[in-house]
Amino acid sequence: MSDPWERSGIETEEVEGGREFLGSAELFVSNTAGAALRKPPNSRKGQGKRDNAKQVNSTDDKKIKEQQYSWLALAKGPSSGHWRPATCKLAEEGERCLLNIYVDESILYQTIYIHLLNHTDIRHADTSLFLRKNCLSIYCAAGKRWAPANTLEPVYLQFASLDVCNAWMALLRSYALPEIYGRWFFPTDGGSYRMWRQVEMTIMQGRDLGNTKLFPFEGKDSPSEGTDSSEHDPVDIDVFCKIKLNDTVCGRTTTKKGIGAADWHEAFTFSELPPFENLEVVVWREKKLFKPSILGTIRIPLGNFRRGEMVEGWFPVLHSTTDSVVSDLQLGEIRLKVRVDEEIILPFACYQKLMKVFRTRNFLDWMSDFESKFKLKSIGTPLMILAVANNRLIEQVQEIATREVDGSVSSRQTLFRGNTTLTKVIEQCMSFYGKAFLEASIGPVLRRLCSEKVAIEVDPLRSRKSTKDVERSVELLIYWCREFWNQIYSVKDECPYEMRQIFGTVRDLVEKQFANSESSLNRGDLHWQSVSAFCFLRFIVPAILHPHLFGLTPGLPSLPIQRSLTLVAKVIQSMANLNASVQKEEFMRGVQEFLQDSRQAMIDYIVVVSTPSKDVRYTAKHPEKHMRTNVAASLLDREQRMPVLYKESIPVLPHMLDIPRNLAVITSAVIRSSRTHIEAKPGQHLDKSLEDFCARCFEVEEQALQRVSQLAAQLSANHRRPYAPGDCGSQSPTSGPTSPPRSDSPTSDHDSPRSPRPSTAPSDGDPARRRMLFKQSVTTSPPSPEAAAGQSSRLLHIRSTSEDSISSYGAGPSDGMKGEVAVEDDSKRGKGILRLLRR
């Protein structure tokens, strides 16, 4: 398997005035933009380099197209444009940086002024938009690009692999502006702090959608008395949803039947977002012989959500007369899960004490304590990323695996079958390192089964068919199992190095611990089965059962296809268990011969994936291997000239790691959970290491609140003066820390001034009070009048967490919005910094 950096297809060249980066991609061209394409005055300029890029990337272009055929057969994609091969040239021009996008090697499609964009303007596009992976979206407001015609459409680029996509994203962000606040307080750091926002949403189900008695498809826009809709066939009604953030479409669901309960169960994660206000779920309807039209809209003010907590419930779909007008008429409901994260990120130096405590223990032990004592279920991934950044992930997983393999009888019978901390972490490791491997293993075959709508049923009681029909179904099942297995076996050598290390450790431990066992258990297969317990039971087989959860298909397959995938998964798991005779269902006996014939091939597969290769290019212990490319060298060179916060805002390749961001997420989660835990159990005492960890988290939060208070006081004193772009600290990433701000620097994503203070603080409440709760203090002396006056002079308070439920989501931001900054003056109370700047 070749090094992804060597095949990234990004050519770098030193030119007068800076560097140039050249590579190929697929470009989405809307119908409007396609009509305005024109050739540049000198079309032959740079033609030689573009020819070289085309030759280097011809294989990658072919790979992109091949990857999409099965996806496009599964669901409908956008119909308002098409994809075309393109060449991207990123060029430095002094303090400016331009991205020129060419189509057909000679036609200039657009020029984007990257140095005017924010980091949040450059982010991954959700797969659901075009049913294509490895896509970047670039959002350009007016004045930040040249195009043949005036357009506000985002630019969408697809690259040959995730590695190439990440490399381009890091490059572009190194020239764009991060969202940094308060640069005048900490000039050497480049600012006080930066922001990170993310929205996770799962569209679960719909009910009473497309009811023709409520909303006829023909005639008037709204229902009226006496309307007879009985002529409309409800079976023909299809519905799908588009998700909009800040009035921009970010994702869409697949199309389902609207009558009854439409099941989607489709998850979306929108990260690296600009300051957001509203989330909209627009429900569209489709009917034969009619154009798609809007059925209704769900509008959710995100300010009402408690940060870091999942909210689930049924949300009403309100009738939309236009794209912007929503009436009070309800046309069904959709069940949603929504989680909003918004974190203040300090410079990495502020987390040093926390990192020192973190390094004192195995990160799996931290995870176990947080789950058992603080009930934190979503902190595993940030902790794992910290271990990856410290180059200790593999060795710490190996250490915990050694503890779990104890050689007891119960351990042999249930070895790695339960949901322990170790099994959960290895699942996360496989998901983190093995996405491309999983796609190569089962993606093409699985989507082909779905696109061909293969329905397999070998249970006579379910199918109620004749014996011959059941036998044909068994043959069909064996055919598809063989197709899956051939594909899985063919890519065994592509198993990532980190996964091989983990599997190899598990295999060696089991071999040593049970070598002399006298149990009747089949000892010869136990070390193979221990590997398959992870590789298949917890990785490949779950992906076959639920492909939409692993990004392999766009949406939940239909019930007949789900049944087919279930039967295939049963057979593949039986193969992995190396036991052809264990079949609980009598109707599955027909696949035993296939299982026996595949036994040796399965052992060969397990041997390969559990044997660490000599190629160390993928191990985190050899990061210098990734520095061989000009791309990485260019990033390192640029980062050396940047202030601290600018440098830390650029994700670290190849896994796009942002260590301070993950530390901020962990800090906020621990503070929220530890406060609840201590208040609920005032007599509870924590162990010393956990107490130290929580204490360091409180110290970080105090620093964050202090920096927010400084900025809020400054803005409160100056809020009447005209807003200046320099207030947000929008200086050039490569300029010195004391350089004046550029007059052409943007202040927001959509050309409207955004607050240099986010709408949420790191957490709610008084940190001193929570620290006293944490330390089990019994008494607290009241503050002196002088101290109270000093605290009041800060012109700031952090409001308590909102308790708003879903029923009040339609209202405006409540006074209980988490962490909103407010000025103590009664005339300004409740308006907050964001509202002050917009006056």
Side-chain angles (χ1 to χ4, degrees):
M1 187 176 181
S2 60
D3 192 332
W5 289 90
E6 292 178 348
R7 55 185 172 81
S8 63
I10 303 178
E11 294 185 354
T12 307
E13 182 177 346
E14 296 286 343
V15 297
E16 184 178 356
R19 298 184 180 92
E20 285 187 357
F21 303 90
L22 199 66
S24 67
E26 289 277 313
L27 170 72
F28 180 75
V29 181
S30 66
N31 293 337
T32 303
L37 286 176
R38 67 176 179 86
K39 293 186 178 182
N42 188 2
S43 62
R44 300 182 60 84
K45 184 178 181 180
Q47 185 71 24
K49 287 189 291 183
R50 290 195 293 273
D51 289 341
N52 293 335
K54 182 179 180 181
Q55 183 177 1
V56 170
N57 295 283
S58 59
T59 303
D60 289 339
D61 292 339
K62 183 178 180 182
K63 182 189 298 184
I64 290 177
K65 296 176 181 179
E66 290 176 349
Q67 289 175 350
Q68 307 313 321
Y69 290 141
S70 56
W71 277 86
L72 297 177
L74 293 176
K76 297 177 180 179
S79 57
S80 58
H82 59 283
W83 290 85
R84 298 176 65 171
T87 300
C88 301
K89 185 177 76 171
L90 184 67
E92 295 180 0
E93 294 185 0
E95 293 187 358
R96 302 197 311 165
C97 179
L98 307 180
L99 176 64
N100 293 320
I101 303 175
Y102 300 89
V103 295
D104 298 336
E105 293 300 314
S106 60
I107 302 177
L108 180 62
Y109 175 72
Q110 282 190 25
T111 297
I112 302 174
Y113 310 135
I114 299 297
H115 61 284
L116 298 183
L117 301 184
N118 295 331
H119 277 198
T120 53
D121 295 328
I122 306 165
R123 54 185 188 264
H124 288 288
D126 193 81
T127 305
S128 63
L129 278 179
F130 302 101
L131 303 179
R132 289 174 175 240
K133 295 183 178 182
N134 310 324
C135 292
L136 279 186
S137 56
I138 304 176
Y139 299 87
C140 306
K144 299 180 182 180
R145 64 174 160 188
W146 172 90
N150 292 329
T151 178
L152 296 178
E153 299 173 348
V155 175
Y156 297 101
L157 296 168
Q158 187 197 13
F159 298 95
S161 67
L162 181 61
D163 293 304
V164 181
C165 184
N166 288 342
W168 273 103
M169 185 172 181
L171 272 176
L172 295 174
R173 286 195 168 188
S174 71
Y175 292 95
L177 295 171
E179 188 179 346
I180 294 176
Y181 300 87
R183 65 180 177 87
W184 53 85
F185 291 111
F186 299 90
T188 56
D189 290 342
S192 295
Y193 55 85
R194 57 190 174 97
M195 290 298 300
W196 171 78
R197 302 177 187 84
Q198 178 174 284
V199 174
E200 298 178 49
M201 184 175 68
T202 302
I203 299 181
M204 306 289 289
Q205 297 171 299
R207 62 187 181 191
D208 299 328
L209 298 175
N211 191 330
T212 54
K213 293 183 179 180
L214 290 176
F215 197 87
F217 282 97
E218 303 171 48
K220 299 180 180 179
D221 289 336
S222 60
S224 59
E225 296 182 3
T227 301
D228 184 10
S229 58
S230 59
E231 59 181 318
H232 301 288
D233 186 2
V235 178
D236 290 338
I237 301 174
D238 294 331
V239 292
F240 65 91
C241 303
K242 287 186 178 180
I243 304 164
K244 300 174 70 176
L245 279 164
N246 291 352
D247 298 324
T248 301
V249 178
C250 297
R252 59 160 289 167
T253 67
T254 53
T255 303
K256 301 290 183 181
K257 293 294 183 182
I259 295 301
D263 287 329
W264 280 289
H265 296 278
E266 298 179 26
F268 304 87
T269 299
F270 308 109
S271 191
E272 309 288 348
L273 295 174
F276 44 57
E277 296 178 359
N278 294 320
L279 169 69
E280 295 185 10
V281 180
V282 183
V283 185
W284 288 71
R285 57 181 181 179
E286 290 184 344
K287 191 174 186 292
K288 293 180 179 179
L289 305 180
F290 290 89
K291 293 182 178 180
S293 59
I294 296 178
L295 174 65
T297 304
I298 300 173
R299 292 191 176 178
I300 308 172
L302 295 177
N304 291 347
F305 278 78
R306 299 181 65 173
R307 276 25 179 180
E309 296 185 12
M310 186 70 72
V311 176
E312 179 177 357
W314 289 92
F315 290 74
V317 179
L318 303 180
H319 167 50
S320 301
T321 55
T322 66
D323 289 343
S324 59
V325 179
V326 178
S327 68
D328 295 331
L329 179 63
Q330 180 175 335
L331 297 172
E333 296 175 302
I334 291 182
R335 184 184 172 197
L336 303 176
K337 286 184 180 180
V338 182
R339 172 182 168 129
V340 179
D341 289 288
E342 190 170 18
E343 299 293 347
I344 289 175
I345 306 173
L346 304 179
F348 180 71
C350 298
Y351 302 99
Q352 289 291 354
K353 293 182 179 180
L354 180 62
M355 284 296 297
K356 185 176 180 180
V357 177
F358 174 77
R359 295 189 184 103
T360 59
R361 298 175 63 193
N362 191 307
F363 88 101
L364 291 176
D365 294 330
W366 290 118
M367 187 183 303
S368 178
D369 283 346
F370 291 143
E371 288 188 356
S372 61
K373 297 178 181 179
F374 291 162
K375 309 303 179 184
L376 283 172
K377 303 298 183 183
S378 60
I379 203 172
T381 298
L383 285 172
M384 185 189 72
I385 290 176
L386 292 185
V388 172
N390 284 273
N391 298 331
R392 299 182 62 187
L393 175 63
I394 302 301
E395 64 182 59
Q396 291 190 351
V397 171
Q398 292 170 338
E399 176 188 338
I400 298 295
T402 303
R403 299 182 202 172
E404 187 158 323
V405 181
D406 56 8
S408 64
V409 175
S410 59
S411 176
R412 285 197 302 271
Q413 295 173 351
T414 61
L415 188 63
F416 305 130
R417 299 286 171 169
N419 289 323
T420 64
T421 302
L422 174 66
T423 58
K424 293 177 182 178
V425 169
I426 294 183
E427 285 182 15
Q428 292 177 342
C429 290
M430 292 188 294
S431 176
F432 185 78
Y433 290 113
K435 291 181 180 179
F437 177 60
L438 182 67
E439 165 64 31
S441 297
I442 62 174
V445 178
L446 191 148
R447 288 191 291 272
R448 183 160 65 90
L449 182 146
C450 294
S451 63
E452 295 179 9
K453 299 181 180 179
V454 177
I456 305 174
E457 184 52 74
V458 295
D459 186 356
L461 297 180
R462 284 174 174 259
S463 64
R464 301 184 181 277
K465 293 183 179 180
S466 64
T467 304
K468 290 185 177 180
D469 291 335
V470 172
E471 291 177 354
R472 282 194 290 267
S473 296
V474 172
E475 294 176 357
L476 185 61
L477 173 61
I478 294 174
Y479 168 79
W480 280 103
C481 289
R482 185 174 287 109
E483 291 291 297
F484 271 86
W485 172 239
N486 290 341
Q487 181 64 29
I488 292 171
Y489 187 83
S490 66
V491 298
K492 62 184 182 300
D493 293 326
E494 298 183 20
C495 183
Y497 179 80
E498 292 83 0
M499 291 174 59
R500 292 189 181 201
Q501 280 189 304
I502 295 174
F503 296 157
T505 299
V506 169
R507 193 181 98 185
D508 292 341
L509 288 172
V510 173
E511 286 179 341
K512 293 176 181 178
Q513 292 290 341
F514 300 100
N516 300 321
S517 175
E518 299 296 333
S519 170
S520 59
L521 191 67
N522 189 346
R523 299 188 305 274
D525 293 340
L526 186 59
H527 55 299
W528 309 129
Q529 293 170 348
S530 64
V531 174
S532 67
F534 290 110
C535 186
F536 285 91
L537 180 63
R538 298 182 179 276
F539 191 51
I540 293 179
V541 169
I544 296 175
L545 287 171
H546 309 289
H548 63 294
L549 300 181
F550 291 79
L552 298 174
T553 58
L556 185 69
S558 62
L559 290 177
I561 295 177
Q562 289 182 50
R563 176 60 178 169
S564 301
L565 294 175
T566 300
L567 294 173
V568 171
K570 284 185 176 183
V571 177
I572 298 298
Q573 185 58 53
S574 296
M575 290 176 57
N577 292 336
L578 302 175
N579 195 344
S581 61
V582 179
Q583 293 291 342
K584 296 181 180 180
E585 298 92 347
E586 182 65 28
F587 55 83
M588 294 291 289
R589 300 288 181 180
V591 301
Q592 286 189 5
E593 183 178 354
F594 168 73
L595 295 176
Q596 292 172 356
D597 295 341
S598 305
R599 175 184 171 86
Q600 187 57 49
M602 176 59 72
I603 293 177
D604 295 340
Y605 180 90
I606 294 175
V607 169
V608 172
V609 300
S610 60
T611 302
S613 63
K614 297 181 180 180
D615 187 351
V616 295
R617 285 179 292 189
Y618 294 95
T619 176
K621 293 184 179 180
H622 296 79
E624 70 277 5
K625 296 295 183 180
H626 298 301
M627 300 298 105
R628 294 177 299 179
T629 63
N630 293 328
V631 173
S634 299
L635 289 174
L636 287 178
D637 181 61
R638 287 184 52 74
E639 289 174 2
Q640 292 176 358
R641 306 192 302 271
M642 294 182 182
V644 173
L645 281 176
Y646 284 89
K647 176 172 61 179
E648 294 176 357
S649 66
I650 300 175
V652 179
L653 295 169
H655 300 299
M656 303 293 284
L657 302 183
D658 187 339
I659 307 307
R661 185 192 76 192
N662 286 280
L663 286 167
V665 171
I666 292 172
T667 300
S668 296
V670 169
I671 287 173
R672 285 192 298 262
S673 301
S674 62
R675 180 181 66 248
T676 303
H677 177 79
I678 296 301
E679 291 178 348
K681 300 179 181 179
Q684 181 75 25
H685 292 279
L686 303 176
D687 60 76
K688 184 63 168 61
S689 59
L690 194 59
E691 183 177 348
D692 289 343
F693 193 96
C694 294
R696 300 292 85 76
C697 289
F698 284 117
E699 290 178 1
V700 170
E701 186 200 25
E702 288 178 1
Q703 293 185 56
L705 289 176
Q706 182 182 10
R707 294 181 179 226
V708 170
S709 301
Q710 290 174 333
L711 179 58
Q714 178 77 18
L715 292 173
S716 298
N718 301 328
H719 73 274
R720 295 186 182 279
R721 68 179 177 85
Y723 181 77
D727 289 342
C728 282
S730 53
Q731 69 185 72
S732 172
T734 57
S735 62
T738 59
S739 300
R742 296 197 314 265
S743 60
D744 58 350
S745 297
T747 59
S748 73
D749 253 24
H750 303 287
D751 276 357
S752 61
R754 291 292 181 184
S755 169
R757 160 71 182 99
S759 61
T760 59
S763 64
D764 54 284
D766 183 5
R769 173 178 175 272
R770 291 197 299 277
R771 180 182 291 279
M772 287 184 288
L773 279 172
F774 179 75
K775 292 185 175 180
Q776 304 297 317
S777 299
V778 178
T779 60
T780 305
S781 59
S784 63
E786 292 80 9
Q791 187 175 14
S792 176
S793 65
R794 293 168 60 192
L795 304 177
L796 172 75
H797 74 271
I798 305 299
R799 295 180 175 180
S800 60
T801 302
S802 171
E803 300 293 340
D804 290 345
S805 62
I806 298 173
S807 60
S808 63
Y809 81 93
S814 68
D815 289 339
M817 180 167 51
K818 176 182 182 299
E820 181 178 313
V821 176
V823 181
E824 293 297 327
D825 189 327
D826 290 339
S827 64
K828 307 182 185 87
R829 186 180 302 276
K831 296 180 180 179
I833 296 300
L834 180 62
R835 291 156 184 78
L836 288 174
L837 288 173
R838 289 182 175 175
R839 290 178 57 181

Coordinates of all heavy atoms in Angstrom, one line a residue, residues 195-219:
M195 N -12.6 30.2 18.6 CA -13.9 29.5 18.8 C -14.0 28.3 17.9 O -13.4 28.2 16.9 CB -15.0 30.4 18.5 CG -15.2 31.5 19.6 SD -15.6 30.9 21.2 CE -17.1 30.0 20.9
W196 N -14.7 27.3 18.4 CA -15.1 26.1 17.6 C -16.5 25.8 17.9 O -17.0 25.8 19.0 CB -14.2 24.9 18.0 CG -14.6 23.6 17.4 CD1 -14.4 23.2 16.2 CD2 -15.4 22.6 18.1 NE1 -14.9 21.9 16.0 CE2 -15.5 21.5 17.1 CE3 -15.9 22.4 19.4 CZ2 -16.2 20.4 17.4 CZ3 -16.6 21.2 19.7 CH2 -16.7 20.2 18.7
R197 N -17.2 25.5 16.8 CA -18.7 25.2 16.9 C -19.0 23.9 16.1 O -18.4 23.7 15.0 CB -19.5 26.3 16.4 CG -19.3 27.6 17.1 CD -20.1 28.8 16.5 NE -19.7 30.0 17.1 CZ -18.7 30.8 16.7 NH1 -18.0 30.4 15.7 NH2 -18.5 31.9 17.3
Q198 N -20.0 23.2 16.6 CA -20.4 21.9 15.9 C -21.8 21.7 16.2 O -22.3 21.9 17.3 CB -19.5 20.8 16.3 CG -19.9 19.4 15.7 CD -18.9 18.3 16.0 OE1 -17.8 18.3 15.5 NE2 -19.2 17.5 17.0
V199 N -22.5 21.2 15.2 CA -23.9 20.7 15.4 C -24.0 19.3 14.9 O -23.7 19.0 13.8 CB -24.9 21.6 14.6 CG1 -26.3 21.0 14.7 CG2 -24.9 23.0 15.2
E200 N -24.5 18.4 15.8 CA -24.8 17.0 15.5 C -26.3 16.9 15.5 O -27.0 17.3 16.4 CB -24.2 16.1 16.5 CG -22.7 16.1 16.5 CD -22.1 15.2 17.6 OE1 -22.5 14.0 17.6 OE2 -21.3 15.6 18.4
M201 N -26.8 16.3 14.4 CA -28.3 16.1 14.3 C -28.6 14.7 13.7 O -27.9 14.3 12.7 CB -28.9 17.2 13.5 CG -30.5 17.0 13.5 SD -31.2 18.4 12.7 CE -30.7 18.2 11.0
T202 N -29.5 14.0 14.2 CA -30.1 12.8 13.6 C -31.5 13.0 13.3 O -32.3 13.3 14.2 CB -29.9 11.6 14.6 OG1 -28.5 11.5 14.9 CG2 -30.3 10.3 13.9
I203 N -31.9 12.8 12.1 CA -33.3 12.9 11.7 C -33.8 11.4 11.8 O -33.4 10.5 11.0 CB -33.5 13.4 10.3 CG1 -32.9 14.8 10.2 CG2 -34.9 13.4 9.8 CD1 -33.1 15.5 8.8
M204 N -34.7 11.2 12.8 CA -35.1 9.8 13.1 C -36.3 9.4 12.3 O -36.2 8.5 11.4 CB -35.4 9.8 14.6 CG -34.3 10.2 15.5 SD -32.9 9.1 15.5 CE -33.6 7.8 16.4
Q205 N -37.4 10.0 12.6 CA -38.7 9.6 11.9 C -39.6 10.8 11.6 O -39.4 11.8 12.1 CB -39.4 8.6 12.9 CG -38.7 7.3 13.2 CD -39.5 6.6 14.3 OE1 -39.6 7.1 15.4 NE2 -39.9 5.4 14.0
G206 N -40.6 10.5 10.8 CA -41.6 11.5 10.5 C -43.0 10.8 10.7 O -43.1 9.6 10.4
R207 N -43.9 11.6 11.0 CA -45.3 11.1 11.1 C -46.3 12.2 10.6 O -46.1 13.4 10.8 CB -45.6 10.7 12.5 CG -45.6 11.7 13.6 CD -45.8 11.1 15.0 NE -45.8 12.2 16.0 CZ -45.7 11.9 17.3 NH1 -45.6 10.6 17.7 NH2 -45.7 12.9 18.2
D208 N -47.3 11.7 10.0 CA -48.4 12.5 9.4 C -47.8 13.5 8.4 O -48.4 14.6 8.2 CB -49.1 13.3 10.5 CG -49.8 12.3 11.5 OD1 -50.2 11.2 11.1 OD2 -49.9 12.7 12.7
L209 N -46.8 13.1 7.7 CA -46.2 14.0 6.7 C -46.9 13.7 5.3 O -47.2 12.6 5.0 CB -44.7 13.8 6.5 CG -43.8 14.0 7.7 CD1 -42.4 13.6 7.4 CD2 -43.9 15.5 8.1
G210 N -47.2 14.8 4.6 CA -47.8 14.7 3.3 C -49.3 14.2 3.3 O -49.7 13.6 2.4
N211 N -50.0 14.4 4.4 CA -51.4 14.0 4.5 C -52.2 14.9 3.6 O -52.3 16.1 3.8 CB -51.8 14.2 6.0 CG -53.2 13.6 6.2 OD1 -54.0 13.5 5.3 ND2 -53.4 13.1 7.4
T212 N -52.7 14.3 2.5 CA -53.4 15.1 1.5 C -54.7 15.8 2.0 O -55.2 16.7 1.5 CB -53.8 14.2 0.3 OG1 -54.5 13.1 0.8 CG2 -52.5 13.7 -0.4
K213 N -55.2 15.3 3.1 CA -56.4 16.0 3.7 C -56.0 17.3 4.4 O -56.9 18.2 4.5 CB -57.1 15.0 4.8 CG -57.7 13.8 4.2 CD -58.4 13.0 5.2 CE -59.0 11.7 4.6 NZ -59.7 10.9 5.6
L214 N -54.8 17.4 4.8 CA -54.3 18.6 5.4 C -53.7 19.6 4.3 O -53.9 20.8 4.4 CB -53.2 18.3 6.4 CG -53.7 17.6 7.7 CD1 -52.5 17.3 8.6 CD2 -54.6 18.5 8.5
F215 N -53.1 19.0 3.3 CA -52.4 19.8 2.4 C -52.4 19.2 1.0 O -51.6 18.4 0.7 CB -50.9 20.0 2.8 CG -50.2 21.1 2.2 CD1 -50.3 22.4 2.7 CD2 -49.5 20.9 1.0 CE1 -49.6 23.4 2.1 CE2 -48.9 22.0 0.4 CZ -48.9 23.3 0.9
P216 N -53.4 19.6 0.2 CA -53.4 19.1 -1.2 C -52.3 19.5 -2.0 O -51.7 20.6 -1.8 CB -54.8 19.6 -1.7 CG -55.0 20.9 -0.9 CD -54.4 20.6 0.4
F217 N -51.9 18.7 -3.0 CA -50.8 19.0 -3.9 C -51.2 20.0 -5.0 O -50.3 20.6 -5.6 CB -50.2 17.7 -4.5 CG -49.4 17.0 -3.6 CD1 -49.9 15.9 -2.8 CD2 -48.1 17.3 -3.4 CE1 -49.1 15.2 -2.0 CE2 -47.3 16.7 -2.5 CZ -47.8 15.6 -1.8
E218 N -52.4 20.1 -5.3 CA -52.8 20.9 -6.5 C -53.7 22.0 -6.0 O -54.3 21.9 -4.9 CB -53.6 20.0 -7.5 CG -52.7 18.9 -8.0 CD -53.6 17.9 -8.9 OE1 -54.3 18.4 -9.8 OE2 -53.5 16.7 -8.6
G219 N -53.9 23.0 -6.8 CA -54.8 24.1 -6.4 C -54.1 25.1 -5.6 O -53.0 25.6 -5.9

